[in-house]
Amino acid sequence: MILLTGGTGYIGSHIAVELLEAGYDVILLDNLCNSQRSVVTRIEQITQRSVHFHEGDICDYKGLSAFFARYDIDAVIHCAGLKAVGESISKPLEYYDNNVSGTLCLLKAMRQAGVMQLVFSSSATVYGEEAAIPYIEHMPRGRTTSPYGTSKAMIEKLLEDASASDSRWAISILRYFNPVGAHPSGFIGEAPQGIPNNLMPYISQVAAGQRAELAIFGDDYPTPDGTCVRDYLHVVDLAKGHLKALQYLSTGVDHFNLGTGQGVSVREMVATFERATGVTVPYRFAPRRSGDLPAFWASAEKARKELGWQAEKSVHDMVVDTWRWQQWANRDPER
Ligand code: NAD
Ligand code: WQD
């Protein structure tokens, strides 16, 4: 059985669907601090399989030990964490505690139970401010711009040290670029609490009339149209990458970028959204957002060659699936 921490979250729920559809038995563990229990039912509706859910916290060592004693876990996919970059700057201790101490706690409980296979949700942010593009896995981690990013870099380092100390560990560190989109069923997707921090949910809320206009942060970057460029990838592609990483796990620690290898600007994203949905997205240019880098994207070669994974869905798919989810979610306050 696979333990999926953060399993009711945005990315975890999509991984759960892919695992279940591939025939794995899965148990989701989440403390529901940023997701809803109703996601479990929606995963069941999509997959037509029953889903085990355990409400629990990765910082609770005793609870985790009891959990591992009770269930026969083969491997862990670890997505649980706090992820709001801006919030991490105002609450660094909470972020280090939850993300870093929580991961330590999980690792100790895993080791005690003899469960040594781990796939970890890291982020392209670990490449730091000064890395050349495209980002390649062999590049050193750089200077991160937020406690959130630093927490991911710290976890990567502690996973590497754990692996060096005990050859039983088999660890895959997945560095996500910019996951967007939703499951094509419209049943699961990203449900930000309050004002969205990220571009795609903001665009879709403007399109849905929930917000007046999008503020595009900066139009004077050294990019083709002056707006920032990112490597957006469909969350279903991202989820499929976890299956490949799980199947590829072997002792030691390995790092993989999960991105498309293509950069898309903010203006291009807005234009694609408008074209695909037929809905106008009013926007204005606003000052740059502190901490934003002008442009970055992945080298997707290593994942393609070693995992046999590459992103298949287009930006059009990302937008259409986001919009379907947005409309579905608008009708369901319980999302
Ligand atoms: P999310 O907030 O939707 O999901 C994270 C889940 O973890 C939530 O359901 C939350 O309730 C749970 N959680 C948080 N702390 C917990 C704890 N102490 N114990 C148990 N559960 C806990 O976020 P997401 O977008 O699905 O991100 C999943 C992972 O991927 C995170 O680790 C995030 O840092 C990483 N990541 C996300 C992105 C992105 O853009 N979404 C990019 C790179 C990396
Ligand atoms: C994308 C672009 C904004 C909102 C973040 C984290 C990163 C990773 C993914 C977790 C930028 C612009 C945004 C808006 C805008 N998360 N934008 N108006 O910042 O690339 O990455 O999410 O690991 O660590 O930093 O993604 O979606 O916030 O922004 O103009 O209202 O859209 O300036 O250029 P980002 P994003």
Side-chain angles (χ1 to χ4, degrees), residues 234 237 312-319:
H234 198 292
D237 279 332
E312 284 165 0
K313 291 180 180 274
S314 64
V315 179
H316 178 90
D317 297 329
M318 300 174 203
V319 161

Side-chain angles (χ1 to χ4, degrees), residues 6 8-12 29-35 56-59 78-83 98 121-123 148 152 176-179 190:
T8 43
Y10 170 46
I11 294 168
L29 182 144
D30 204 296
N31 67 1
L32 301 175
C33 71
N34 197 36
S35 56
D57 198 302
I58 57 164
C59 299
H78 175 33
C79 297
L82 299 175
K83 64 160 181 179
N98 194 72
S121 300
S122 189
S123 167
Y148 167 75
K152 291 292 178 191
Y176 309 164
F177 280 68
N178 286 59
E190 190 169 9

Side-chain angles (χ1 to χ4, degrees), residues 21 53 57 77 86 90-91 94 101 106 112 127 141 143 189 205 220 236 247 251 269 279 290 313 316 321 324:
E21 288 187 339
F53 173 71
D57 198 302
I77 299 180
S90 55
K91 296 182 175 171
E94 284 77 3
S101 306
L106 174 67
Q112 192 204 28
Y127 286 102
R141 282 184 289 272
R143 198 169 57 215
Q205 290 194 6
D220 58 351
V236 171
Q247 288 154 1
T251 51
M269 191 53 101
V279 181
S290 157
K313 291 180 180 274
H316 178 90
D321 290 337
R324 186 184 299 106

Side-chain angles (χ1 to χ4, degrees), residues 243-302:
L243 262 71
K244 295 284 189 184
L246 190 65
Q247 288 154 1
Y248 187 80
L249 274 178
S250 61
T251 51
V253 62
D254 220 338
H255 309 72
F256 293 101
N257 288 340
L258 294 183
T260 65
Q262 307 286 328
V264 173
S265 76
V266 177
R267 284 186 78 154
E268 285 171 327
M269 191 53 101
V270 173
T272 308
F273 193 98
E274 291 184 328
R275 245 189 342 265
T277 63
V279 181
T280 303
V281 179
Y283 66 83
R284 69 183 162 85
F285 291 111
R288 292 180 178 197
R289 184 172 69 176
S290 157
D292 274 344
L293 298 178
F296 62 86
W297 54 89
S299 162
E301 282 306 291
K302 188 177 178 197

Side-chain angles (χ1 to χ4, degrees), residues 85 123 148 178 197-199 215-217 228 230 232 289 292:
V85 173
S123 167
Y148 167 75
N178 286 59
N197 299 308
N198 299 112
L199 179 64
I216 295 184
F217 301 136
C228 290
R230 295 287 182 273
Y232 298 94
R289 184 172 69 176
D292 274 344

